[in-house]
């Protein structure tokens, strides 16, 4: 007997390992504004939600609008697309839950079409209800 009948996945950082892409995009903005770069240790230690709180630790949001930083992040995500990969164990978990008959869906801040493209690219789309 299965214990769960439905799983709701988070995409970024769970199904999709995007930490290297995120760091590269943040570093582009830091470099653009002459600020010290970040690394994986600092990023993981300080990343917060809402994301504006993380950016406020690095940028003076009175001088650099969050909208500019957010657009830089989105642009960089496409620029550094090659760094994206499935999260560790994600495909195996999706396959196993599917095999057990557990329904699955995903949530993301991505625009729906782009989310579906990425899920297809990384072999995740067909597991979702």
């Amino acid at each position: 007997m299965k214990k769960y009948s439905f799983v709701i996945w988070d995409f970024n950082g769970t199904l999709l390992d995007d930490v290297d892409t995120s760091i590269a995009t943040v570093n582009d903005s830091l470099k653009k504004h002459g600020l010290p770069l970040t690394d994986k240790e600092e990023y993981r230690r300080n990343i917060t939600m809402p994301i504006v709180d993380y950016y406020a630790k690095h940028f003076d949001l009175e001088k650099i609008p969050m909208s500019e930083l957010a657009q830089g992040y989105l642009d960089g995500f496409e620029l550094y697309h090659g760094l994206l990969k499935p999260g560790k164990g994600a495909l195996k978990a999706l396959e196993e839950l599917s095999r057990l008959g557990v329904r699955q869906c995903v949530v993301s801040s991505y625009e729906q079409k782009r989310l579906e493209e990425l899920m297809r690219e990384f072999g995740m789309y067909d597991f979702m209800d």
Side-chain angles (χ1 to χ4, degrees), residues 105-123:
C105 74
V106 64
V107 294
S108 175
S109 59
Y110 264 119
E111 182 271 326
Q112 184 72 28
K113 182 180 177 200
R114 186 64 179 129
L115 173 63
E116 290 175 8
E117 290 170 353
L118 286 168
M119 293 195 63
R120 282 186 179 95
E121 178 181 343
F122 292 108

Side-chain angles (χ1 to χ4, degrees), residues 68-81:
E68 175 189 324
L69 297 170
Q71 188 59 55
Y73 183 85
L74 293 172
D75 294 344
F77 222 79
E78 295 306 317
L79 180 66
Y80 298 110
H81 178 88

Side-chain angles (χ1 to χ4, degrees), residues 10-74:
D10 171 57
F11 189 62
N12 296 80
T14 304
L15 291 181
L16 184 71
D17 180 349
D18 60 356
V19 70
D20 291 331
T21 303
S22 297
I23 291 167
T25 65
V26 169
N27 277 337
D28 281 353
S29 290
L30 290 166
K31 201 178 313 176
K32 177 181 175 181
H33 295 286
L35 297 167
L37 303 183
T38 190
D39 59 25
K40 195 177 283 192
E41 181 182 325
E42 185 281 330
Y43 184 82
R44 286 193 166 154
R45 186 177 59 246
N46 290 302
I47 190 71
T48 56
M49 292 298 156
I51 197 68
V52 67
D53 293 343
Y54 175 76
Y55 277 88
K57 293 176 185 177
H58 295 282
F59 299 92
D60 180 348
L61 298 179
E62 297 288 322
K63 294 179 181 174
I64 306 166
M66 187 61 204
S67 59
E68 175 189 324
L69 297 170
Q71 188 59 55
Y73 183 85
L74 293 172

